[in-house]
Amino acid sequence: MRGTLMLSWILIICLSQVAVQSQYYSKSRPYHPRPPKVTNLHFFMHEHTGVTAVVVAQANVTSNNSSVPFATLVAVNDPLRTGPEPDSEEIGNVQGISLLAGSNASSTQYIEFGFNTGKFNGSSLSVFSRGEPGLAVVGGRGRFMMAKGIALFNPILINATNVIIEFNVTVIHH
C-alpha cells in the first residue's frame, strides 16, 4: 500500500513538471500575400458515355419518369480540348464524380480540371458544386494555388453517346 502511494506521488510530481516545462511552440511570422491574379480560361470537355463517363452506383428505384435515373453516381475522366471538334488540341483532362440526384437531371459534382500542356502544365482547378448555373471553383494546385472563382458552362452537344460542354472559367488565385 505504501509503495502504491509513493508511486502515485512520483507520478503526480512528474506530470506536474511536464505540464510546467512543456509549452506550445509557436513562432509567428508576418503574412505577405502575393498579389491576386485573375485568369480567364476557355476550353471544352469531351465526354463519351460508357467510355469516359461510367455509372459506378445506381439506386434501385422502380418509379422514375426522368431520363436520368435518380441517385446515380458517375465517375468521369474526360479530355479537355481547345475547341468543340474531336480532333482539337488536348490540353488536359477532367476527373471526378457526379451525383445525379434530382428529378430534373440536376447534379452535384466534385471534379478537377487538370492541365498538362502550356503555361498551366501540372496545375489543376478543384470544383465542388451543384451544377446550376455554374460550378464553384474551390481550390487549385500549381499555378492555381488558393484559387476561387466560377466555371460557367454551356452544353454544345448532348446525345446518346457524346457530350461536349464549353467552359468559361474565371479564377482568382495567387
Side-chain angles (χ1 to χ4, degrees), residues 131-142:
E132 299 156 5
L135 303 171
V137 176
V138 296
R141 295 182 303 128

Side-chain angles (χ1 to χ4, degrees), residues 124-173:
S124 65
L125 290 170
S126 298
V127 174
F128 182 72
S129 187
R130 192 168 173 178
E132 299 156 5
L135 303 171
V137 176
V138 296
R141 295 182 303 128
R143 293 208 173 218
F144 296 119
M145 194 175 301
M146 304 288 289
K148 60 183 175 181
I150 188 155
L152 299 174
F153 61 90
N154 179 30
I156 301 293
L157 170 71
I158 298 177
N159 61 30
T161 58
N162 295 312
V163 176
I164 298 175
I165 300 175
E166 176 183 24
F167 281 94
N168 288 300
V169 183
T170 301
V171 182
I172 302 169
H173 58 99

Side-chain angles (χ1 to χ4, degrees), residues 13-80:
I13 292 170
C14 288
L15 289 176
S16 66
Q17 290 298 315
V18 169
V20 169
Q21 292 182 6
S22 66
Q23 295 179 7
Y24 176 73
Y25 176 75
S26 171
K27 182 177 181 181
S28 297
R29 293 181 282 166
Y31 177 60
H32 300 291
R34 290 182 268 171
K37 300 174 192 170
V38 176
T39 301
N40 294 306
L41 302 167
H42 182 249
F43 50 83
F44 295 81
M45 179 184 84
H46 291 249
E47 181 175 290
H48 304 288
T49 306
V51 178
T52 62
V54 179
V55 174
V56 293
Q58 184 174 352
N60 189 13
V61 178
T62 57
S63 62
N64 185 9
N65 297 331
S66 174
S67 62
V68 178
F70 177 78
T72 302
L73 184 64
V74 178
V76 295
N77 184 12
D78 302 328
L80 294 177

Side-chain angles (χ1 to χ4, degrees), residues 78-83 86-93 116-117:
D78 302 328
L80 294 177
R81 299 186 179 275
T82 57
D87 60 345
S88 59
E89 179 187 2
E90 187 172 327
I91 57 170
N93 67 336
N116 55 23
T117 61

